[in-house]
Structures are given as C-alpha cells and as structure tokens.
C-alpha cells in the first residue's frame, strides 16, 4: 500500500426532527446506516444522535457515501430517507418529519452478569417477504435505567442491541395490534488492539480492513458471523470491542495485500489483548468474464463473488460493460465463485477454483430470468412472494420476495421458467394468490386480489394462570404438519403471532381448512399444553398441538391457551481440569433431542431418505449466496424441517441487513459461574436439557447431555487440543485437499501445503472420523483425541473410481449448471453435502465425479433447489469407471424415495 495513503475528510449531517405540524420533537433518536452497493465505513457508536429540545441533531465523523437516515420518537412512527455525502461535506438543514401512530415496543437492556446497561443502541430492522430485510431501520438508546422505547408499525423485525463494551445480541420480534415487550441481555465483551504490517519489510499498513470471526459455540455474535470488520488507522493500528470469550480468528486485507493465514488468539470474559500483529503478504487475483449462458454475450453489472471454505465472501466485484471482472485481494486457497445481477437468476454454484497464482481465464455463465410485474388490489403495501406450499420440491424460484408500493405495484424476480403461485399478504391479514406461467418474456399486468381471511385471537397463560408474554402461537395447515421450511427464522408454511405483555395474541391470514396449532417459546421449542403431563422431552404430538378447523373468513375469538409453566431450573457447578471450581465460565442450555445443542455437535451422519430418525437426525446442504446460504434438513418420525439463511451483506462488506436463523441451536442466554464455579439456569420448562460450558479463554469445554431440571449438574472442563496430520498418496505428499473432521467438534478445512501437512485447532477430546479428499483420491480414518496432547494422524489416499454421465431435461436436452452429488447409502439412509469440489455441469450437461467403492444415490441439484434428479448406483471394488449415461428429472424432493430412471449405458445401477 502506498505510504501516501490518506484518510478522506469526514462528513457530517445537521438537521431537525419535526412533527406534521412543524413542531420540534425533542429526544428523538436519529439513526444512520450505510447503504448502496459500496456502503461507507461507519462505526456503530457514531451512527446515532438524539435531538435537542429544539429538535436539532448532529451526526459527525462520517465517511462519504450513501446512508439511510431514520428517526423515531415515543408516540411517532419512524421515518426513512436517503442521503448522499461527499468527502468533507457538512450537510445542513435536513428536515425529518414524523407522524403519530404505531405500537410501542419497550423493554430493558440488561447485563448478563447483573444490572442494567445505559446508552445501548437498540436497532429494529423490518423483515419482509421470505425473511429478507427491505432496508427499513429504526433505532433508539437505552436510558440510565436501561429502559428503551420505540414506536413501530405492525410487522416482523430483527432487534439488535449494541454497546461498545458488550457482545451484541439479536432477537426476532413481531409487532401486532398491541404493545410489545422485549428485554435484551448483553454479555460483557473483550477487546483487542493490534497493528497490521507488511511481511516484506515490517512496515505498518494504513487503513487496512481487519476481518474477525469468533468460533464460540454460543450464538452471541449472531449478526456478525464471519463477516465482521474494522478499519485500521493511518498508523495501521486497529481496535475491536464487544467480543465474546473464546477463540478469535483475524485476517487483514489492503490494496494488493492479504493475510496468508488467519491469526488466532484466545480471549477471556471482558479480556483485553493489546499485542496482536497481523502480517500481510502479496495478494492474488481472479480475472474473468461473465457471459449469457445462451447467447455467450458478455453481461455487465453482475456481482461476482469469491467465497472461502467457511462460506464467507472473501471479495466481490461487478462486471464491466464487456463482462469482465477482476477480484483482487485473495489469499491462496480454494474459492467458490457465484454471480448475481439484475434480471439474471443468481448462479449460486458457478464453480470452485483453486487460486495459488493469479488466474486470468475464468468464464462465468449466467441465465437470464423472467421478471413478473403487477399490482395488489386494493392498492396497499403488502408482502409478495412465492407460495412454497404449492411448489413441488424446493426451487430457487421459491427464494423470491418483495414488498408492494403504496399504490400496490410490485416487481418480482428473476425467475426460471415454470409455473408459480404468487401470494400477497397485508399487515392486516388480507391475502390473495394468483397462478402465473413463467416462460421466455417478462410478465406484466399480474393482479393479486387481497381478501379477508380467517383469524384466531385470545390469550396464552401457563398452568398457574400467569400471562405468557414471550411466546409464539403457530398454526400449520394439517396437510403441511410434517414439513417446515424455515427461512431466516420464519416458517414459510405457517402463520404465527407473538404474544403481547398480557399474553394476548392474534393470528390472521388463515385460509379455510384444517390446522395444527402449537405454542413455541423464544428458542423455538414447542410448549406442551397444560394438564397433559410431563414425562420426558419426547412426548406424543397430542401433548404439543391442537386440531382446529376454519371456515372461510371465520374469526375465532377469546381462545385461551394454557401451556406448561416455565418455572423449573438447573443448578450446578463447573469443575476445571485441575479438579477445582472454575469461575467465569459461560454455561448454556438447550432442550435435549436431535434439534438440541448437543444434537448438532454429534458426528455428521446419516439422513433417512424416508424421513425416519437417525443418530442425530441432521444432514447438511450448504451453499452460498451473498455470503451465506445454509440449509439444515432435520428429520424425525413426524416432521421434516429445512432451515435456510439468506444473507445480503451490503456489497460484500459484511454488515448487511440479511437474515439470521434464530431457530437453529435453540440455546438460551448463557449464565456465568461465580467464584465457586456455581451457576443457576432459570425459566426452564420441566424436562431434559443439554448443557455446555466454555471457559479458560475458550481453551476448555464441557458437555452434559439430557440433564433433568431440578437435579444438580456437574460439568468438568476438558482442555481442547489439536490434530496434526499428513496426507500422502503412496510415498508422495498430497499438496491440495480438503480435510474434514466428523464428530464432537466438526471441522472442515481447505489445505494447500507442499508437504501435505494440516492442523486442526481447538478440538474436543473424543472419537472422530477424519477424511481427506481431492479430485484424485480419498483417505479416511477413525481416531481418538485425548485431552492435553496433540493427536497425530497419517492419512493414505486411495485412487477414486470415476462416475460420469449427462444431466438432461424432460425433453432430453443437456442441462448446464447442475450440481451432481454422489451421496453414500447405508440401507435406505444417505448422507449428502455440497462441498467446494462439487462442480456444476457444463454446457453439454456432462459430469464426472470420484467416489470410493460402495452404494450411492446420484443426486442432481439445479440452482440450489431440491433434487432435480436422483438415481441409485453401485461401484464395485475393482471398477475404475461407471458410466450412468443420461439422467433425467425424477420429480423427487427432500426425503423422497428414489425412482428408477432406467438402465444406464453401462455399469451397475441396482438400488442399494
């Protein structure tokens, strides 16, 4: 980086907050959030100001760029506007007008270790459509008492509480007809100070971007994830605050320079590490062209992303008029390339590339999609999306959502060709649908008529008659009771509403038919209805749901729901590796079972193809869209659940307004052990819970499975260790491969090392299966990791058999861009994952993959959808090549049985 680099002059905004009669509004909260494709840098503590008695406000020290400016005040609905700032500009006389209305959201921001927090920012981001944000935000600050208050329109919001001395926290809140309460608890945060230097001459690197990621098990950095960052100053120094205890990985980037490997440090609770040095080496680049898949002509304005093996976007650039793009600042490694842009269907899996030197010949093909334009009637603001209940399987066409304007107009897409049922729903619960046939041209003039639907209202109380203010009433069509599609924490196949402080609820938008009704707590756990009895966490469905039938536009009122009390607790002690009580250890709990905290930490394993239970009942379907598109398919005897997170990260810079999955781990807020190692977790329903303790600056951990409430718990910390390994093929080291650890501490890592060496850090003691693979071979071994010492392993790769064929559509035409996966089978059970080395088919539809001998299900995925085609096949021990020929659509889906698509040209295909 040139030594003459200078920080641009800061800008500022001055203005007044007024009501609709031009009267000044005092104590209004004014919030600025970055926007646009290249959002400006903005520290969170500089984003908010409060108006004076004259309604005046001032926000200073702003970087040039585009911002959303919102203002809110008690009794007034928030306002939104867009501003653009030039370097050094002092924007004057900005007038913000507020109108009265909305519902009150209030609560207290608390310190998890005790007391309340003054001056915490509470930001609310509206969530529409399929769980994405439309960019609408509002914010306020907690008072000296920790209390905050804000007015909001009815709808669903992501609430985020932030204070520079604490770890941020997030939660979902639904605003209905009445006022709502939401308390937010923050954990004391650690701090890191350091400097960025060049490895070549040890010189400081000014204004470098420092990215950091916590690998703490607790979900306390929920909306930061792997994309949080800060900017170093002119001397290369940086400061990060609000970090959880545990291990922290840091990387840095600057012009033509990047960290070759992450720097890992350990942090204690409220710890301060001031000696971190990040070194930058010469960065690599990927240069290529985006072309239309049919015409092969260049496509401009496509955002091309390179994502690392952790799913985080490493870099993103936009294609020029000639379709060319250059992605700079990459460290050596493997990256998945994706592309998206206006009127083109997002290419989530455009291929994986190994970058160990500059790459200048990459071609990314994209498919032009169809836009659907229309209006909702009567004209109003409504959420417009695809009705997932009407779709066969789960297509990328389902991942579309928008909000109509006040005149009812909307534009939605782009879509792949096909038949789609569009749905629209207003905040008042009126809704409508219309079927559209998507072909080759954009559709215009589509009308969705909104009509009144059925509803149910009443109160939720516990067995003692106390109102339940923090639960959710959920209704699912009886036909869909065995299926959930959860996007960003919202079940797309259900209608729901959160309760108000008095326990009241209203669920609208119910079409006629039969429903299953449940009550869920804040962690997504289903509460049993009172009087049914509690024996264990595995109870009959009758304990947890009620059957209801709604006629058209029927309104059921004053329906009282009595659920089990949550007055149970777990007391216990945490013992350190030395046998002494361990203070300052975080302890978290989640309900036991396949969806509990420890269920997700069990070995990655089998998914029952017919929806039956397995050891941990989880499979993986991981991909990438704008930084993160993850799905977890959870199975039980009575329910199949697909979870996905859609993150939009504001141009690849990491602070996007996308989604956070709040239904995943189902953890409760952590508690802290005292000086005697003691802890108490309150507010639990009676039953079994999984416990986890993290201590000693994240270097030790303990687990306790299926512990019963009311009984004393004892957790003994065990020191985390590491695995050191070598991968060889014959006598030669393997330099490029993926190593995956399956067990108590799952890990997956891309490795490029001339000696074939790899290291896995912070591993829990226990038994694991470790796998190393690349295009040529695969090695697998069962190992036992012992506490207190490193585990050494030698993996000997065996050459893989090749499986090839061609993916075709129903007419026999080749299909490009389809991911082909060989899922290992054991009986009727299969394990499926999308890895970085999973390549899409080319223009001729051809695929070739490497597998070990065994039984498999060939699964084809188009554009991140559910299986487009599937076929069983077997590879014998002495087979070098299995040719499957043409593989066409099967009509299968998640959990469906695999139909026989006919005999391939050669090679066995009998079902395992």
């Amino acid at each position: 980086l040139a030594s003459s680099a200078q920080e641009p002059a800061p800008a500022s905004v001055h203005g007044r907050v007024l009501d609709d009669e031009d009267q000044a509004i005092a104590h209004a909260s004014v919030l600025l959030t970055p926007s646009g494709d290249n959002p400006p840098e903005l520290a969170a503590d500089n984003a908010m100001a409060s108006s004076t008695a004259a309604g005046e406000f001032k926000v200073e020290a702003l970087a040039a760029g585009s911002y959303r400016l919102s203002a809110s005040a008690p009794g007034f609905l928030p306002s939104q506007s867009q501003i653009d700032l030039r370097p050094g500009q002092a924007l004057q006389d900005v007038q913000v007008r507020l109108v009265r209305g909305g519902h009150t959201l209030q609560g207290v921001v608390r310190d998890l270790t005790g007391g309340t927090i003054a001056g915490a920012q509470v930001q609310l981001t509206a969530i529409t459509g399929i769980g994405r944000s439309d960019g609408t935000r509002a914010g306020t600050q907690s008072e000296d008492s920790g209390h905050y208050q804000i007015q909001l329109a009815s709808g669903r919001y992501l609430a985020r509480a932030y204070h520079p001395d604490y770890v941020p926290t997030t939660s979902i809140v639904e605003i209905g007809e009445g006022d709502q309460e939401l308390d937010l608890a923050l954990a004391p945060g650690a701090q890191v100070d350091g400097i960025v230097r060049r490895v070549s001459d040890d010189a400081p690197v000014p204004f470098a971007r420092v990215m950091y990621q916590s690998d703490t098990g607790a979900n306390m950095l929920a909306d930061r994830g792997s994309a949080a960052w800060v900017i170093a100053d002119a001397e290369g120094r940086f400061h990060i605050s609000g970090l959880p205890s545990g291990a922290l990985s840091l990387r840095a980037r600057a012009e033509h320079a990047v960290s070759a490997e992450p720097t890992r440090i350990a942090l204690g609770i409220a710890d301060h590490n001031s000696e971190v040095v990040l070194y930058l080496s010469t960065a690599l680049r990927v240069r290529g062209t985006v072309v239309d898949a049919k015409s092969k002509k260049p496509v401009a304005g496509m955002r091309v992303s390179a994502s690392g093996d952790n799913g985080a976007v490493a870099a993103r650039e936009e294609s020029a008029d000639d379709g060319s793009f250059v992605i700079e600042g990459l460290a050596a490694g493997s990256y998945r390339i994706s592309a998206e842009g206006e009127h083109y269907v997002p290419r989530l899996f455009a291929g994986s590339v190994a970058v160990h030197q500059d790459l200048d010949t990459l071609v990314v093909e994209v498919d032009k999609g169809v836009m659907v334009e229309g209006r909702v009637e009567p004209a109003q603001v409504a959420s417009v999306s695809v009705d997932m209940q009407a779709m066969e399987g789960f297509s990328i066409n389902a991942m579309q959502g928008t909000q109509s304007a006040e005149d009812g107009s909307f534009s939605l897409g782009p879509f792949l060709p096909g038949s789609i049922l569009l749905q629209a729903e207003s905040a008042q619960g009126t809704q409508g649908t219309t079927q559209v046939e998507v072909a080759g041209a954009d559709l215009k003039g589509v009308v969705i008529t909104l009509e009144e639907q059925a509803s149910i209202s009443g109160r939720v109380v516990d067995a003692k008659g106390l109102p339940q203010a923090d639960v959710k009433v959920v209704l699912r069509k009886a036909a869909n009771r065995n299926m959930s599609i959860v996007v960003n924490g919202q079940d797309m196949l259900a209608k729901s509403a959160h309760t108000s402080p008095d326990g009241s609820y209203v669920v609208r938008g119910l079409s006629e038919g039969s429903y299953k009704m449940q009550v869920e707590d804040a962690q997504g756990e289903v509460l049993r209805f009172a009087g049914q009895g509690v024996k264990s966490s595995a109870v009959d469905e009758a304990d947890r749901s009620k059957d209801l039938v709604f006629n058209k536009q029927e309104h059921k009122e004053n329906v009282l729901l009595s659920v089990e009390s949550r007055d149970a607790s777990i007391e216990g002690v945490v013992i350190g590796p030395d046998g002494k009580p361990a203070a300052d250890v975080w302890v978290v709990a989640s309900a036991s079972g396949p969806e509990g905290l420890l269920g997700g930490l069990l070995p990655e394993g089998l998914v029952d193809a017919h929806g039956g239970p397995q050891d941990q009942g989880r499979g993986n379907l991981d991909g990438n869209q704008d930084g993160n598109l993850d799905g977890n398919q959870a199975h039980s005897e009575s329910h199949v659940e697909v979870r996905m997170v859609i993150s939009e990260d504001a141009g690849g810079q990491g602070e996007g307004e996308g989604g956070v999955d709040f239904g995943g781990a189902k953890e409760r807020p952590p508690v802290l052990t005292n000086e005697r190692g003691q802890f108490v977790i309150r507010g639990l329903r009676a039953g079994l819970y999984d416990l986890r303790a993290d201590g000693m600056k994240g270097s030790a951990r303990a687990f306790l499975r299926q512990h019963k409430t009311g009984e004393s718990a004892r957790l003994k910390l065990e020191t985390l260790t590491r695995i050191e390994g070598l991968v060889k093929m014959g006598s030669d080291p393997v330099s490029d491969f993926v190593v995956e650890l399956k067990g108590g501490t799952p890990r997956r890592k891309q490795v490029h090392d001339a000696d074939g060496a790899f290291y896995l850090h912070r591993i829990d003691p226990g038994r694991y299966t470790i796998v190393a693979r690349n295009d040529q071979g695969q090695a697998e071994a069962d190992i036992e990791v012992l506490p207190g010492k490193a585990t050494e392993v030698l993996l000997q790769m065996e050459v893989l058999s090749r499986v090839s064929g061609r993916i075709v559509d129903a007419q026999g035409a080749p299909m490009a861009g389809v991911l082909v996966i060989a899922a290992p089978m054991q009986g009727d059970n299969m394990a499926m994952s999308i890895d970085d080395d999973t390549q899409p088919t080319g223009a001729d539809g051809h695929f070739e993959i490497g597998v070990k001998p065994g039984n498999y299900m060939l699964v084809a995925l188009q554009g991140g959808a559910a299986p487009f085609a599937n076929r069983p096949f077997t590879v014998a021990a002495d087979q070098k090549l299995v040719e499957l020929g043409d593989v066409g659509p099967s009509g299968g889906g998640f959990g469906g049985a695999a139909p026989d698509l006919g005999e391939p040209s050669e090679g066995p295909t009998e079902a395992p």
Side-chain angles (χ1 to χ4, degrees):
L1 195 70
S3 59
S4 60
Q6 294 182 355
E7 188 173 12
S12 61
V13 177
H14 301 237
R16 295 185 70 202
V17 182
L18 306 171
D19 63 16
D20 52 4
E21 297 179 353
D22 287 339
Q23 299 298 309
I25 300 177
H27 309 300
S29 296
V30 179
L31 174 69
L32 268 73
T33 54
S35 66
D37 290 335
N38 295 294
E41 321 288 2
L42 179 62
D45 53 358
N46 292 330
M48 184 173 286
S50 182
S51 64
T52 66
E56 297 178 349
F57 69 88
K58 178 189 298 185
V59 185
E60 299 180 303
L62 297 171
S66 297
Y67 293 87
R68 293 188 186 92
L69 186 152
S70 67
S72 61
F76 293 86
L77 279 168
S79 73
Q80 303 287 327
S81 61
Q82 188 78 20
I83 62 172
D84 297 295
L85 296 176
R86 301 185 304 273
Q89 179 184 10
L91 186 61
Q92 304 285 344
D93 300 326
V94 175
Q95 291 193 354
V96 182
R97 298 186 183 277
L98 303 182
V99 297
R100 296 186 181 276
H103 308 287
T104 300
L105 173 67
Q106 61 182 332
V108 177
V109 182
R110 302 184 184 279
D111 186 321
L112 273 174
T113 62
T116 60
I117 302 173
Q121 287 188 21
V122 180
Q123 296 184 11
L124 282 302
T125 304
I127 300 174
T128 61
I130 59 167
R132 289 174 172 169
S133 165
D134 63 357
T136 303
R137 283 191 179 184
T140 186
Q141 285 187 317
S142 60
E143 303 169 354
D144 291 344
S145 63
H147 180 265
Y148 74 91
Q149 179 178 329
I150 191 169
Q151 296 290 118
L152 296 169
S154 297
R156 191 164 178 268
Y157 295 83
L158 171 67
R160 178 179 186 266
Y162 167 86
H163 189 282
D165 297 331
Y166 291 83
V167 181
T169 190
T170 52
S171 183
I172 289 286
V173 61
E174 291 184 25
I175 305 299
E177 293 302 305
D179 295 340
Q180 183 71 282
E181 290 186 359
L182 177 66
D183 290 344
L184 298 161
L186 305 183
Q191 301 179 56
V192 170
D193 287 282
I195 189 169
V196 182
R197 297 184 180 275
R198 280 194 300 246
V199 70
S200 58
D201 57 6
D202 209 43
V205 181
F207 311 124
R209 181 186 295 269
V210 178
M211 288 79 67
Y212 57 97
Q213 175 183 5
S214 170
D215 65 353
T216 179
N219 195 21
M220 292 186 292
L221 275 181
D223 67 335
R224 290 191 176 186
S226 59
W229 50 266
V230 295
I231 299 295
D233 63 16
E235 286 75 40
R237 298 191 176 277
F238 63 89
H239 173 78
I240 307 172
S241 62
L243 296 170
S245 62
L248 188 74
S249 295
L250 301 103
R251 291 178 181 264
R253 291 178 57 195
E255 188 176 0
H256 307 306
V258 67
S259 300
E261 291 288 340
T263 296
R264 294 180 174 89
I265 62 173
L267 293 171
I269 298 170
D271 199 0
H272 187 189
N273 189 321
S274 59
E275 301 176 352
V276 177
V277 181
L278 304 180
Y279 283 99
L280 302 189
S281 304
T282 301
L284 302 174
R285 72 163 184 270
V286 171
R287 190 194 306 270
T289 307
V290 182
V291 300
D292 187 285
K294 292 184 178 179
S295 68
K296 307 304 180 185
K297 294 182 179 180
V299 181
M302 296 296 296
R303 295 180 294 280
V304 184
S305 304
S307 303
D309 58 2
N310 64 354
V313 175
R316 170 180 294 149
E317 294 295 339
E318 189 170 294
S319 60
D321 291 342
D322 61 354
S324 64
F325 65 89
V326 180
I327 297 178
E328 304 271 8
L330 298 179
S334 293
Y335 295 88
R336 181 164 302 279
I337 306 299
S338 59
E340 65 166 344
E342 190 174 3
H343 302 305
Y344 279 85
V345 178
R347 175 56 61 91
L348 307 183
F349 309 112
S352 180
V353 295
V355 182
H356 301 302
Q357 59 185 5
D358 289 344
L359 182 64
D360 294 320
T361 58
L362 188 65
V363 176
V364 178
E365 294 187 347
V366 293
D367 295 297
K368 193 166 187 178
V370 176
M371 300 299 296
V372 177
E373 297 181 4
R375 67 184 186 278
V376 298
E377 292 183 349
Q380 59 190 288
V381 174
S383 174
V384 183
S385 60
V386 176
D387 187 347
M388 294 186 182
Q389 301 181 59
M391 301 195 72
E392 294 184 1
F394 191 70
S395 167
I396 194 172
N397 276 348
M399 309 310 293
Q400 301 288 354
T402 189
Q403 194 172 41
S404 63
E406 291 184 358
D407 64 358
S409 62
F410 68 86
S411 177
L412 189 63
F415 292 107
L416 291 169
S419 181
I420 298 172
L421 182 65
L422 293 184
Q423 62 182 0
E425 183 174 0
S426 70
Q428 292 72 38
T430 59
Q431 64 182 38
T433 61
T434 186
Q435 193 80 33
V436 297
E437 299 298 325
V438 177
D442 291 347
L443 290 179
K444 299 181 183 296
V446 174
V447 177
I448 306 177
T449 302
L450 301 181
E451 297 179 339
E452 184 180 355
Q453 303 295 316
S455 68
I456 184 171
S457 61
R459 295 178 66 234
V460 180
V461 299
D462 69 3
K464 300 177 180 179
L466 299 176
Q468 301 298 289
D470 57 346
V471 300
K472 181 168 63 175
V473 179
V474 182
L475 284 91
R476 294 183 179 88
K477 273 286 185 76
N480 297 324
R481 69 184 183 88
N482 292 332
M483 181 71 176
S484 297
I485 300 177
V486 181
V487 182
N488 296 343
Q490 179 180 3
D491 190 342
M492 307 309 296
L493 304 184
K495 297 292 184 181
S496 63
H498 279 79
T499 55
S500 295
D502 62 353
S504 62
Y505 67 91
V506 180
V507 182
R508 293 190 172 87
L510 301 169
S511 58
E512 62 179 326
S514 299
Y515 287 81
K516 292 283 185 180
M517 181 171 63
Q518 295 178 322
V519 179
E520 298 178 358
D521 64 14
Q523 287 71 42
E525 287 292 333
V526 178
L527 298 176
R528 304 177 190 91
F529 288 104
Q532 300 293 334
V534 177
K535 297 181 178 65
S536 71
S537 61
V539 296
D540 293 336
E541 186 177 350
D543 294 333
R544 307 190 305 168
S545 65
K546 292 182 180 293
D547 294 319
L548 293 175
V549 177
F550 287 88
N551 298 319
K552 188 176 182 180
Q553 299 181 352
E554 178 185 2
H555 301 292
K556 298 181 186 293
E557 299 177 338
N558 301 318
V559 178
L560 182 67
L561 303 177
S562 180
V563 297
E564 60 183 311
S565 298
R566 291 172 292 164
D567 52 4
S569 63
I570 294 177
E571 299 184 14
V573 63
V574 178
I575 304 299
D578 57 0
K580 298 178 180 179
D584 294 335
V585 175
W586 288 115
V587 183
V588 293
S590 69
S592 292
E595 285 302 290
L597 182 153
L598 295 188
L601 293 174
L602 290 175
E604 297 286 342
L606 302 176
V607 176
D608 190 331
H610 302 287
Q614 286 298 308
D615 289 342
Q616 83 288 3
R618 294 179 71 113
N620 286 321
L621 176 60
D622 300 325
N624 176 270
Q625 173 178 329
D626 281 339
N628 191 8
L629 170 56
D630 297 326
N632 285 322
Q633 186 178 353
H635 298 259
S636 69
E637 289 185 328
S638 61
H639 198 78
V640 175
E641 187 170 279
V642 178
R643 291 188 178 275
M644 307 191 81
V645 179
I646 308 294
S647 291
E648 296 173 282
D649 63 359
Q653 307 305 316
E655 285 292 338
E657 297 133 351
V660 178
D661 185 355
F662 289 91
K666 299 186 178 179
E667 294 181 5
R668 279 147 182 81
V671 297
L672 194 65
T673 60
N674 61 20
E675 66 277 4
R676 297 183 296 278
Q678 298 168 330
F679 68 90
V680 181
I681 304 175
R682 295 185 171 88
L684 305 176
R685 57 185 178 85
L688 302 178
Y689 286 85
D690 296 336
L691 305 178
R692 188 189 69 243
D694 291 276
M696 296 173 57
K697 297 187 177 182
S699 64
R701 194 151 48 206
F703 298 102
L704 182 60
R705 185 176 175 82
Q706 294 191 331
H707 185 80
K708 188 176 182 180
T709 53
E711 296 183 356
S712 180
R714 186 178 188 274
L715 293 94
K716 189 176 189 303
L717 296 174
E718 294 206 36
T719 304
L720 304 182
T721 181
R722 57 187 264 151
I723 296 174
E724 303 174 357
L726 290 174
V727 180
K728 292 186 175 182
M729 183 173 285
S731 59
D732 298 326
V734 179
S735 58
D736 291 280
F737 56 91
V738 173
V739 62
E740 186 171 5
L741 189 67
K742 301 178 180 181
T745 311
R747 290 283 191 274
R748 187 174 181 277
K749 183 179 182 181
Q750 288 275 353
V751 179
H752 174 69
D753 186 273
D755 297 325
F758 68 89
Y759 305 92
L760 300 175
H761 301 271
R762 301 190 72 250
I763 306 300
D764 290 288
R767 295 184 179 276
Y768 295 86
T769 297
I770 189 166
V771 179
R773 67 179 182 275
N774 59 18
D775 289 339
Q776 286 73 47
Q778 180 170 314
E780 183 174 319
D782 294 327
I783 61 173
E784 183 175 5
V785 176
L786 300 176
K789 67 177 184 177
T791 300
E792 298 181 356
V793 59
L794 173 63
L795 296 175
Q796 193 71 43
M797 270 195 178
E798 298 177 0
V799 176
L800 297 174
S801 302
R802 311 308 297 178
V803 178
S804 64
R806 192 175 71 135
I807 301 297
V808 298
D809 62 17
Q811 289 72 44
M815 297 185 64
V818 177
L819 292 182
V820 181
I821 301 164
M825 299 289 297
Q826 293 183 13
D828 289 333
N829 306 318
M830 73 176 182
M832 183 179 72
S833 65
I834 300 174
D835 303 315
D836 287 342
D837 53 2
T838 305
Q839 296 293 324
T841 56
D844 60 356
H846 181 263
F847 66 87
E848 182 173 306
I849 51 182
V851 299
K852 297 192 306 179
N855 297 323
Y856 293 89
M857 180 71 71
L858 185 82
V859 181
L861 302 173
Q862 182 185 19
F868 160 80
N870 46 33
R871 171 180 288 180
F873 68 94
T874 297
V875 179
D878 57 348
Q879 277 189 291
K880 300 301 181 185
L881 174 66
V882 177
E883 175 59 53
L884 295 183
D886 286 354
V887 180
S890 65
F894 284 116
D900 186 358
L901 301 180
E903 295 295 325
S905 58
E906 63 181 89
T909 60
E910 64 269 21

